[in-house]
Amino acid sequence: MGSGFDYHGYEIGLSIPVWFMLNEGQDISMANTEKKLVEWEKRDAILRLKKEIEVAWHSFETSRKTINRYEQNISKRAKELLDLTLEGYKLGNIDLLNLLYAQETYLSSQLRYIHALKNYYVKIIELEKYLDNELVF
C-alpha cells in the first residue's frame, strides 16, 4: 500500500484439474486388471501345455506296455495255439470248425497287435511335438 516498491519477481503456477486424479485412478485400475488377465491367460496356457505333455507321455507308456505284453506273451501263445490246433487237425483229433476258430483267434490277435503298433507310433509322434529331437524305437 504505497509507492516506492521497486521489486521484480516471477510467478510460476501449475493448474491441475480436479477430475484428473479420478480419471487416472480408473485408467490405472483398468491397466492392472488387464495385466492380471494376461498373466492368468499365460498361466492357463502353460498349464494346458503341461497337461497335454503329461497325457501324451502316459498314452505313450500305455501303448509301449501293450506292445511289450503282446510280444512277450500273447503272440507266442496265439502261435502255439494255432500250431497245436493244426497238428491236431492233421492227426484227425480236431474238426475243421475248431481249426478255423483257432485261425480266427490268431488273426484277430495279429490285428490287435497291428492296431497297438499304429497307436504306439501315433503316440510317439504326439510326444515328439514337445521334444527337440526324434524318438526312434
Side-chain angles (χ1 to χ4, degrees):
M1 315 278 181
S3 62
F5 296 102
D6 231 2
Y7 296 112
H8 301 286
Y10 296 98
E11 181 178 331
I12 298 176
L14 181 62
S15 174
I16 299 176
V18 176
W19 65 88
F20 174 76
M21 294 305 279
L22 296 176
N23 287 342
E24 287 300 312
Q26 290 174 353
D27 290 342
I28 291 171
S29 177
M30 286 293 289
N32 286 337
T33 303
E34 289 175 5
K35 179 183 171 191
K36 286 180 184 178
L37 181 64
V38 168
E39 288 174 357
W40 289 343
E41 288 174 354
K42 179 182 171 186
R43 182 172 178 189
D44 183 50
I46 290 171
L47 290 176
R48 266 189 278 118
L49 185 62
K50 284 181 180 181
K51 179 182 175 186
E52 290 173 7
I53 292 170
E54 187 173 341
V55 167
W57 175 254
H58 288 298
S59 298
F60 166 74
E61 277 187 332
T62 303
S63 296
R64 187 176 61 185
K65 287 177 184 177
T66 302
I67 288 174
N68 288 340
R69 184 175 53 245
Y70 182 83
E71 289 173 347
Q72 293 172 357
N73 207 6
I74 297 172
S75 67
K76 293 175 187 174
R77 289 184 179 183
K79 181 66 175 159
E80 184 180 347
L81 173 66
L82 181 63
D83 291 342
L84 290 175
T85 306
L86 185 60
E87 185 179 323
Y89 178 73
K90 287 179 182 177
L91 294 174
N93 295 336
I94 296 177
D95 60 350
L96 180 62
L97 188 62
N98 285 330
L99 175 65
L100 292 175
Y101 180 70
Q103 287 177 341
E104 179 187 15
T105 303
Y106 177 74
L107 291 175
S108 67
S109 71
Q110 290 291 326
L111 186 61
R112 284 193 302 271
Y113 176 67
I114 290 170
H115 285 297
L117 274 177
K118 180 193 83 128
N119 190 28
Y120 175 71
Y121 287 118
V122 166
K123 298 306 176 186
I124 286 177
I125 291 169
E126 287 179 16
L127 198 56
E128 284 177 347
K129 289 190 310 188
Y130 305 108
L131 299 174
D132 290 337
N133 52 5
E134 293 184 8
L135 297 174
V136 179
F137 292 97

